[in-house]
Structures are given as C-alpha cells and as structure tokens.
Amino acid sequence: MKKIFVIDWILVFVFVLSAFSGIGLHIAGHGNSHEVWHNWAVFHVLTSFLFFVAAIFHITTHWGWYKGTIKNGLGKKK
C-alpha cells in the first residue's frame, strides 16, 4: 500500500480517537470524579497530538498537490 494512503488512514483513525476522547472528556466534566476527568484529558491530549503529527505528515506527502492548486487555481488541471 502506498505511504500516502497509510498516512491518510492513520489520520482518520486518530481523528476518531480524538473525537471520542473529546466527547468522553465533556461527559466526564459533568461528573464528580476529577480522576476520571483527568484520565480523559490525558487521553485526549495524546490523541490530539498524534492527530497533529499525522496532519503534518499528510500535508508534507500532499505538498505537490497544494503547490499545484496554489499555482494553477482550484479546479483547474495542467
């Protein structure tokens, strides 16, 4: 499988984890246990950082497309 597709699928997977942990963090914020909230917060920060790293790899692997889009305009082909 191409490296680009692997990075894209990792990005999707980590986004789902980050969104799930964000929802869990929000729900835990309404409870009484600070420890539960703290565990969700740590998990959310870690998954969000992994999402950020995967997004950087995604941008670098698609850099040629971004350059072409800026140079030629959106929706135009060479």
Side-chain angles (χ1 to χ4, degrees):
M1 189 183 288
K2 289 187 174 183
K3 182 172 93 170
I4 290 174
F5 295 120
V6 172
I7 291 171
D8 290 348
W9 280 109
I10 289 171
L11 192 62
V12 169
F13 177 71
V14 176
F15 171 77
V16 169
L17 284 178
S18 182
F20 176 73
S21 65
I23 293 168
L25 180 61
H26 178 73
I27 292 170
H30 294 286
N32 293 330
S33 177
H34 179 72
E35 184 179 349
V36 172
W37 178 87
H38 178 73
N39 291 339
W40 277 109
V42 169
F43 185 62
H44 184 66
V45 168
L46 289 175
T47 55
S48 296
F49 179 73
L50 289 175
F51 179 77
F52 177 70
V53 170
I56 290 173
F57 280 115
H58 174 82
I59 290 170
T60 57
T61 55
H62 290 83
W63 191 248
W65 182 85
Y66 291 119
K67 281 177 33 180
T69 301
I70 292 169
K71 180 180 176 185
N72 299 326
L74 194 60
K76 298 179 182 174
K77 292 187 177 183
K78 277 186 169 178

